[in-house]
C-alpha cells in the first residue's frame, strides 16, 4: 500500500484472483467468475458508506439483507454480526436469478427420491407375489411387442430419393429417422438381453442390472435418455417413442403431413 496513492487495487485483485485463490481453481469458467468478482468488489468504492456486495431485487422477499462490510471494533461485535447473517444464501448473492433456487430445490428433491428408491431391497421376496425379475420380464416382453420395427436403410433411401433427396425437409427427415433408428435398436437390444439375463442365458451385466432397477421403478434407464429425450416415467417415454416414430414413418412412406408435431422431433430448430 502506497500512503500517497492508496491501495493498489490491481495488485490486490491479481493476488486474490491469480495467486491465493486463483491458483487453486482449475476450471477456466470458474476462474473467470472469480476474477469477475474480484474486479467488481475489490475497489475503492467498497469502503464507501452503504456499500453492499449485492443488491437484492425489490420483488424478491426471500433475498435477505444484502451483505455489507462490518464496522466492528470488538470480537463480540464481529460474532454478533456473523450471527445475524442468513443461514441460507439467496441465489442473488452469487449473481444468479432468484429462480435458480427453484431449479436447485427440484434437483435436490429428485436426488432424495432417487436415493430412497435405490436403497430399497433388491432381492426377491419369499412370498407368493410376483418377483422383481418376473415383473421386469413381463414389462420387457410387453414393450418388445409394441416396439416399432427397424427401418430398412435402402427402403428409406429410395423413399427420400423419390421425394427429393436434396430437399432440406427431406434431409431433415433422414436425420430424424437415423436418430430414431438408434433409439429403437438400443431399446430392442437392451430388452432382449435383459430377458435373456433374467432367464440365466447370459450374464447380468452392470448395465443390464441398472436397466432392470430403473424399469422396475418406472424410470427411464439413463443410457436411453442420453440418446433420446427426457420423461418423467418409462410409460410416458415409451408412448412418446411410438408416437414420434409414427410421425416419421408416416412422413417417409405415406407422404409429407399437413401439420407437424414440433416437439416430436429430436432437433425441431433444423426444420
Amino acid at each position: 500500500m502506497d500512503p500517497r496513492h492508496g491501495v493498489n487495487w490491481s495488485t490486490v485483485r491479481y493476488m486474490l484472483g491469480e495467486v491465493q485463490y486463483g491458483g487453486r481453481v482449475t476450471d477456466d469458467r470458474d476462474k473467470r467468475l472469480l476474477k469477475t468478482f474480484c474486479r467488481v468488489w475489490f475497489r475503492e468504492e467498497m469502503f464507501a458508506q452503504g456499500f453492499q456486495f449485492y443488491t437484492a431485487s425489490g420483488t424478491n422477499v426471500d433475498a435477505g439483507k444484502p451483505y455489507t462490510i462490518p464496522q466492528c471494533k470488538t470480537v463480540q461485535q464481529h460474532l454478533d454480526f456473523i450471527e445475524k447473517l442468513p443461514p441460507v444464501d439467496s441465489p442473488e448473492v452469487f449473481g444468479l436469478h432468484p429462480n435458480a433456487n427453484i431449479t436447485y430445490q427440484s434437483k435436490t428433491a429428485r436426488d432424495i427420491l432417487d436415493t430412497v428408491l435405490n436403497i430399497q431391497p433388491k432381492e426377491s421376496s419369499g412370498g407368493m407375489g410376483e418377483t422383481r425379475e418376473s415383473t421386469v420380464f413381463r414389462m420387457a416382453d410387453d414393450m418388445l411387442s409394441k416396439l416399432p420395427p427397424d427401418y430398412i436403410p435402402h427402403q428409406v433411401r429410395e423413399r427420400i430419393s423419390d421425394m427429393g433427396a436434396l430437399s432440406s425437409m427431406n434431409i431433415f427427415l433422414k436425420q430424424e429417422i437415423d436418430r430414431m433408428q438408434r433409439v429403437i435398436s438400443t431399446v430392442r437390444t437392451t430388452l432382449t438381453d435383459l430377458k435373456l439375463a433374467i432367464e440365466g442365458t447370459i450374464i447380468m451385466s452392470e448395465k443390464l442390472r441398472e436397466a432392470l432397477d430403473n424399469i422396475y421403478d418406472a424410470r427411464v434407464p439413463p443410457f436411453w435418455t442420453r440418446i433420446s429425450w427426457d420423461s418423467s416415467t418409462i410409460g410416458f417415454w415409451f408412448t412418446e417413442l411410438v408416437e414420434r416414430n409414427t410421425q416419421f414413418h408416416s412422413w417417409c412412406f405415406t407422404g409429407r403431413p399437413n401439420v407437424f408435431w414440433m416437439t416430436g422431433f429430436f432437433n425441431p430448430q433444423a426444420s
Side-chain angles (χ1 to χ4, degrees):
M1 177 176 176
D2 191 333
R4 293 174 299 177
H5 301 93
V7 179
N8 188 334
W9 290 107
S10 60
T11 301
V12 173
R13 288 191 289 265
Y14 181 83
M15 291 298 297
L16 293 173
E18 299 287 350
V19 181
Q20 291 178 297
Y21 295 103
R24 297 181 176 87
V25 180
T26 57
D27 185 83
D28 291 338
R29 294 186 177 181
D30 288 341
K31 192 167 187 177
R32 179 182 176 184
L33 178 62
L34 175 61
K35 291 168 67 175
T36 301
F37 282 152
C38 291
R39 186 177 67 253
V40 172
W41 287 340
F42 292 97
R43 50 199 172 99
E44 200 66 39
E45 289 78 1
M46 71 183 299
F47 295 115
Q49 187 70 24
F51 171 81
Q52 299 174 353
F53 281 103
Y54 82 98
T55 303
S57 63
T59 59
N60 185 17
V61 297
D62 298 325
K65 184 179 179 181
Y67 284 79
T68 60
I69 298 177
Q71 304 294 327
C72 304
K73 296 182 179 180
T74 65
V75 174
Q76 187 59 44
Q77 288 177 339
H78 281 91
L79 294 175
D80 293 340
F81 179 85
I82 294 173
E83 287 295 328
K84 294 179 181 178
L85 292 174
V88 179
D89 294 322
S90 165
E92 292 181 88
V93 176
F94 307 100
L96 301 175
H97 191 275
N99 287 348
N101 199 37
I102 299 176
T103 303
Y104 164 74
Q105 292 178 350
S106 298
K107 184 178 183 301
T108 301
R110 285 196 301 268
D111 291 342
I112 292 174
L113 292 175
D114 288 343
T115 301
V116 171
L117 289 173
N118 289 332
I119 63 176
Q120 295 299 307
K122 300 294 192 297
E123 300 298 328
S124 302
S125 62
M128 299 300 294
E130 193 175 32
T131 64
R132 288 172 57 89
E133 287 75 12
S134 60
T135 300
V136 173
F137 188 96
R138 175 175 49 79
M139 294 173 65
D141 200 40
D142 181 60
M143 284 189 286
L144 280 173
S145 66
K146 299 176 182 177
L147 190 66
D150 292 330
Y151 287 93
I152 301 176
H154 72 84
Q155 291 182 354
V156 174
R157 284 195 299 267
E158 288 176 1
R159 284 296 303 159
I160 296 293
S161 179
D162 292 341
M163 291 187 294
L166 298 181
S167 171
S168 60
M169 290 298 290
N170 294 333
I171 293 174
F172 167 73
L173 172 61
K174 178 63 166 57
Q175 294 172 343
E176 292 290 305
I177 288 177
D178 289 342
R179 293 183 179 183
M180 177 55 69
Q181 178 56 47
R182 184 186 178 193
V183 175
I184 293 174
S185 299
T186 301
V187 172
R188 193 186 313 280
T189 301
T190 301
L191 295 178
T192 302
D193 290 347
L194 188 56
K195 289 178 61 179
L196 293 174
I198 293 174
E199 292 176 337
T201 305
I202 63 175
I203 296 176
M204 179 72 74
S205 65
E206 187 66 29
K207 189 175 183 178
L208 292 177
R209 172 58 64 179
E210 181 184 29
L212 187 148
D213 292 338
N214 280 277
I215 292 174
Y216 183 80
D217 295 331
R219 296 180 296 177
V220 185
F223 56 93
W224 288 7
T225 305
R226 282 195 293 268
I227 61 172
S228 59
W229 51 88
D230 292 324
S231 188
S232 57
T233 66
I234 195 169
F236 290 137
W237 184 91
F238 191 81
T239 300
E240 192 170 346
L241 184 154
V242 174
E243 292 175 348
R244 283 171 178 251
N245 181 75
T246 299
Q247 177 172 238
F248 299 147
H249 191 276
S250 176
W251 183 1
C252 183
F253 295 101
T254 304
R256 181 174 173 175
N258 296 324
V259 294
F260 293 101
W261 174 30
M262 296 302 295
T263 57
F265 294 126
F266 289 92
N267 185 21
Q269 293 86 353
S271 61

